[in-house]
Amino acid sequence: MPYFGVLHRYRHLLDIPAHTAQVSLLEGNTLLIPMPRLAKELGGGFELWVKFEGLNPTGSFKDRGMTVAISEAVGRGVKAVICASTGNTAASAAAYAARAGLRSIVLIPQGKVAAGKLAGAVAYGAQVIQVEGSFDEALSLVVEITQRHPIALVNSLNPYRLEGQKTAAFEICDLLQAAPDWLCLPVGNAGNITSYWMGFKQYDRLKTTGLPHILGVQAAGAAPLVLGHPVDHPETVATAIRIGRPARGEQALQAAEESAGRIISASDDEILSMQRRLAAEGVWVEPASAAGLAGWAAEIRLGNIRPHGWRVVAVCTGHGLKDPDIITRTSPAPRLIPAEMGALEEAILET
Ligand code: F0G
């Protein structure tokens, strides 16, 4: 059967108004990739799958929520949408607004957005505005402006974003025929962890698919939910989750508690090292996307989690192509040789 995107597939399970139109780029239906070698490297005793959300149309999981938020906005006659973003929401909002013929405005923290995300937002035709400040400050501005002007807010404070993002939990249960034992994922503004937990609970009520423990992972330099207080100057190489005041922080903590999981932090080194390990198996994700699994690896290493035959799904939220600079910056430049056989042989045979 042809695939028409998450609204088409799961609309009957989403709490959305009847006026919701359908603006889709055929998002969702992303791959759940088995990772037996990595599971073994991390100590074994569990089954590991990566839900590769970087395979969505704009390269991140944001498309699941954005198709619903933009569809609802279009249905009620909205003409312009706005969001604050560390990059992926911006690219996604811009793409879906373009698809719907709406104006989009995106606010990003100055100098802290990865190249592929900024380029995406520009390519899809958004009006991109850099703010001299953090994501958190940009978010306050967009919340206020949408109270003053008829512009729709498409950050995950918009409930329809969460409705759309629930579909990833549905897909996992549909594919595995049950919820996994553990779900690990990065946490930034905390919309995604909230959505997954809503989705798993809803599916369990409907289909008794069970509930996972949720392991939410923040970057150590931007870990307000671990520290228990906001972080005024968040810093991390994982710029997607460089957030000090998560809008859905309370719900994230509740998801962790209700699921008998937890929210922890991973250092930048742990995150980048997990990014490399995933890439070494052919799955290149952006730094933030490796945080969930970096946290899982640390919990095993520290003996905080003892795997016994568990089935674990790690959500990898965005594609590595979003942030190419981080790889090129931290790796030696490719060697340059003259166009001669001798030089090529020397280059590849010497080690
Ligand atoms: N992973 C990636 C690649 C992200 O872009 C984000 C959030 C997250 C994880 C965290 O998800 O915010 O729902 O907890 N990016 C937002 C943005 C903030 O503006 O693109 P969350």
Side-chain angles (χ1 to χ4, degrees):
M1 188 165 128
Y3 180 72
F4 295 110
V6 298
L7 252 174
H8 179 260
R9 182 162 175 198
Y10 292 114
R11 186 176 183 131
H12 59 293
L13 299 176
L14 307 186
D15 187 7
I16 52 177
H19 67 241
T20 304
Q22 190 173 315
V23 180
S24 175
L25 289 164
L26 311 194
E27 60 296 311
N29 203 19
T30 55
L31 302 182
L32 196 55
I33 307 175
M35 306 291 283
R37 203 169 86 206
L38 184 54
K40 213 164 157 194
E41 261 182 51
L42 299 180
F46 63 98
E47 191 184 289
L48 179 62
W49 303 76
V50 161
K51 178 76 168 156
F52 193 11
E53 289 287 279
L55 298 175
N56 276 294
T58 77
S60 86
F61 73 97
K62 303 288 182 181
D63 296 345
R64 292 180 184 278
M66 205 54 75
T67 179
V68 181
I70 297 286
S71 296
E72 188 280 329
V74 167
R76 84 179 127 94
V78 160
K79 298 283 179 259
V81 298
I82 193 167
C83 66
S85 179
T86 56
N88 281 324
T89 301
S92 187
Y96 284 82
R99 185 83 167 164
L102 304 183
R103 176 178 173 202
S104 64
I105 306 147
V106 304
L107 269 66
I108 56 172
Q110 181 190 22
K112 298 290 183 183
V113 168
K117 304 176 189 182
L118 178 54
V122 173
Y124 298 124
Q127 180 179 358
V128 180
I129 296 173
Q130 293 198 70
V131 176
E132 291 173 357
S134 64
F135 165 84
D136 305 289
E137 289 167 295
L139 184 59
S140 313
L141 281 173
V142 299
V143 167
E144 199 180 324
I145 204 168
T146 52
Q147 286 156 359
R148 290 163 175 252
H149 300 276
I151 307 173
L153 178 72
V154 293
N155 277 104
S156 59
L157 286 166
N158 177 325
Y160 307 120
R161 283 275 313 278
L162 301 194
E163 289 300 312
Q165 287 175 203
K166 288 191 314 195
T167 60
F170 301 162
E171 284 177 15
I172 292 171
C173 293
D174 283 341
L175 213 107
L176 298 177
Q177 307 274 295
D181 299 299
W182 280 89
L183 183 94
C184 2
L185 80 173
V187 176
N189 211 25
N192 210 28
I193 186 172
T194 303
S195 309
Y196 268 98
W197 186 236
M198 285 164 58
F200 282 121
K201 283 198 296 191
Q202 184 176 346
Y203 238 46
D204 185 44
R205 281 195 302 273
L206 285 171
K207 301 174 187 249
T208 40
T209 36
L211 294 170
H213 303 289
I214 306 249
L215 181 70
V217 185
Q218 300 200 289
L225 301 179
V226 180
L227 297 169
H229 58 77
V231 174
D232 285 334
H233 302 288
E235 250 341 311
T236 168
V237 69
T239 52
I241 51 173
R242 188 177 165 273
I243 293 175
R245 292 174 189 272
R248 299 234 178 228
E250 285 304 317
Q251 283 158 284
L253 291 168
Q254 202 181 332
E257 192 186 317
E258 277 178 28
S259 73
R262 69 197 79 145
I263 298 183
I264 61 168
S265 64
S267 70
D268 280 2
D269 281 351
E270 288 174 315
I271 290 172
L272 291 180
S273 148
M274 185 52 73
Q275 183 193 29
R276 297 271 176 171
R277 288 171 99 158
L278 282 161
E281 292 219 29
V283 180
W284 182 28
V285 306
E286 66 168 284
S289 302
L293 206 44
W296 174 258
E299 287 293 271
I300 292 179
R301 201 174 56 244
L302 296 167
N304 294 339
I305 290 177
R306 275 177 233 291
H308 13 222
W310 274 327
R311 181 178 267 179
V312 180
V313 171
V315 183
C316 287
T317 44
H319 202 286
L321 283 166
K322 290 276 190 171
D323 192 355
D325 299 344
I326 190 71
I327 299 293
T328 45
R329 233 181 22 236
T330 54
S331 314
R335 184 163 161 185
L336 181 67
I337 59 162
E340 289 164 9
M341 185 52 62
L344 176 58
E345 282 179 337
E346 190 202 320
I348 68 173
L349 298 177
E350 71 185 4
T351 47

